[in-house]
């Protein structure tokens, strides 16, 4: 079974509108962490936001927020007021302990295209 | 350095040759990861180093792949007898803590390996 599932291969959004990128996860580790990364066409991986499993509030970072629904094992990324520069691949990742190692596992990604 | 440095940025090699990819993590970062990203795909975990502990090699796809980390800093990923299916972008990431935390994992720009 996949540990991180991103069901949207591609998403389109109009500039200045909000968009939600879905991510579900599966783990038995009670102390896990969730991350979102942006990968523009240049290839670099840019860290966006982090949510710890014990955090009571949803993480926010500027125009990015993480809609964390622990019972549903869901960690959706919300981008408000989309900009053309937001066009990129977005990866959800989870860090859990496995055999004493803390290894982040990444989803397959969602390609976001922002239209003017 | 200020970021994670990887070299070379591009490498073209003939099938059957050995290649070495280098990663210089952020100074003081104890955790170091190697990932592989094939065209249009997510990130595939290869190997993880944490401080002076034995590395977690559970993601290495075959015994042609090996990696070492000298002095807890620079890491080298070696691929012996390269095959065409080894063509991919090899990404290195480092973190100040094994749990990632609020600052996530910092990635290098990657090495694009092409086996011809």
């Amino acid at each position: 079974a996949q540990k991180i599932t991103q069901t949207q291969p591609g998403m389109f959004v109009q500039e200045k509108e909000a968009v939600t990128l879905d991510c579900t996860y599966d783990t038995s580790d009670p102390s896990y962490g969730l991350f979102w990364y942006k990968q523009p066409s240049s290839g670099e991986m840019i860290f966006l936001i982090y949510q710890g499993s014990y955090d009571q509030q949803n993480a926010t970072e500027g125009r990015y927020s993480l809609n964390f629904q622990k019972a549903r094992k869901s960690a959706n990324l919300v981008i408000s007021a989309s900009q053309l520069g937001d066009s990129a691949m977005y990866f959800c990742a989870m860090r859990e302990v496995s055999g004493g190692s803390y290894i982040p596992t990444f989803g397959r990604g969602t390609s976001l295209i922002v239209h003017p | 350095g200020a970021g994670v440095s990887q070299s070379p940025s591009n490498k073209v090699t003939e099938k059957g040759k050995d290649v070495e990819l280098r990663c210089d993590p952020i100074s003081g970062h104890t955790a170091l990861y190697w990932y592989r990203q094939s065209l249009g795909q997510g990130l595939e975990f290869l190997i993880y180093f944490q401080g002076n502990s034995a590395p977690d090699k559970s993601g290495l796809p075959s015994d042609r792949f090996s990696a070492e980390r000298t002095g807890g800093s620079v890491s080298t990923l070696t691929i012996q007898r390269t095959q065409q299916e080894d063509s991919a972008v090899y990404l290195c990431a480092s973190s100040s803590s094994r749990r990632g935390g609020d600052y996530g994992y910092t990635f290098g720009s990657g090495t694009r390996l092409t086996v011809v």
Side-chain angles (χ1 to χ4, degrees):
Chain A
Q2 285 196 11
K3 291 184 176 293
I4 292 286
T5 303
Q6 295 182 254
T7 58
Q8 306 154 314
M11 288 285 286
F12 297 87
V13 66
Q14 201 78 21
E15 192 179 9
K16 300 180 184 177
E17 292 186 347
V19 62
T20 298
L21 307 184
D22 295 342
C23 174
T24 57
Y25 58 92
D26 184 30
T27 182
S28 57
D29 180 6
S31 179
Y32 55 90
L34 296 158
F35 305 80
W36 277 92
Y37 280 82
K38 172 184 178 181
Q39 187 178 44
S41 57
S42 58
E44 60 190 310
M45 291 286 286
I46 302 168
F47 168 66
L48 297 177
I49 198 166
Y50 166 79
Q51 179 87 40
S53 60
Y54 294 122
D55 293 344
Q56 295 296 312
Q57 293 187 327
N58 288 342
T60 61
E61 196 68 49
R63 292 187 299 111
Y64 305 107
S65 61
L66 200 152
N67 184 359
F68 182 45
Q69 298 187 45
K70 193 170 183 177
R72 300 177 64 178
K73 294 190 174 180
S74 169
N76 298 340
L77 177 71
V78 180
I79 306 174
S80 63
S82 298
Q83 301 173 355
L84 296 179
D86 293 335
S87 294
M89 283 291 292
Y90 288 81
F91 292 96
C92 178
M94 176 179 65
R95 181 265 299 140
E96 61 175 345
V97 64
S98 176
S101 296
Y102 291 80
I103 298 170
T105 303
F106 287 77
R108 291 177 177 270
T110 295
S111 174
L112 175 67
I113 296 177
V114 180
H115 287 302
Chain B
V4 177
S5 177
Q6 290 189 246
S7 60
S9 55
N10 279 286
K11 177 72 177 179
V12 180
T13 189
E14 292 181 353
K15 179 181 173 182
K17 300 276 190 181
D18 298 353
V19 294
E20 285 188 351
L21 312 180
R22 176 188 167 103
C23 173
D24 198 346
I26 291 173
S27 178
H29 277 197
T30 57
L32 187 148
Y33 304 81
W34 281 99
Y35 288 86
R36 178 170 71 176
Q37 186 176 29
S38 300
L39 188 63
Q41 300 296 311
L43 277 67
E44 175 190 5
F45 166 72
L46 297 177
I47 190 167
Y48 160 55
F49 295 89
Q50 174 58 48
N52 295 319
S53 303
D56 184 323
K57 305 178 182 180
S58 59
L60 294 179
S62 77
D63 58 8
R64 296 187 296 106
F65 289 72
S66 64
E68 63 176 18
R69 188 179 185 190
T70 54
S73 181
V74 173
S75 177
T76 302
L77 176 69
T78 301
I79 309 173
Q80 295 179 312
R81 305 181 302 281
T82 51
Q83 303 295 314
Q84 287 187 328
E85 60 262 29
D86 299 334
S87 296
V89 175
Y90 290 80
L91 292 163
C92 175
S94 71
S95 173
S96 59
S97 85
R98 59 182 180 171
R99 297 175 63 85
D102 289 351
Y103 300 102
Y105 304 86
T106 305
F107 281 81
S109 299
T111 293
R112 182 177 298 277
L113 175 66
T114 304
V115 182
V116 298

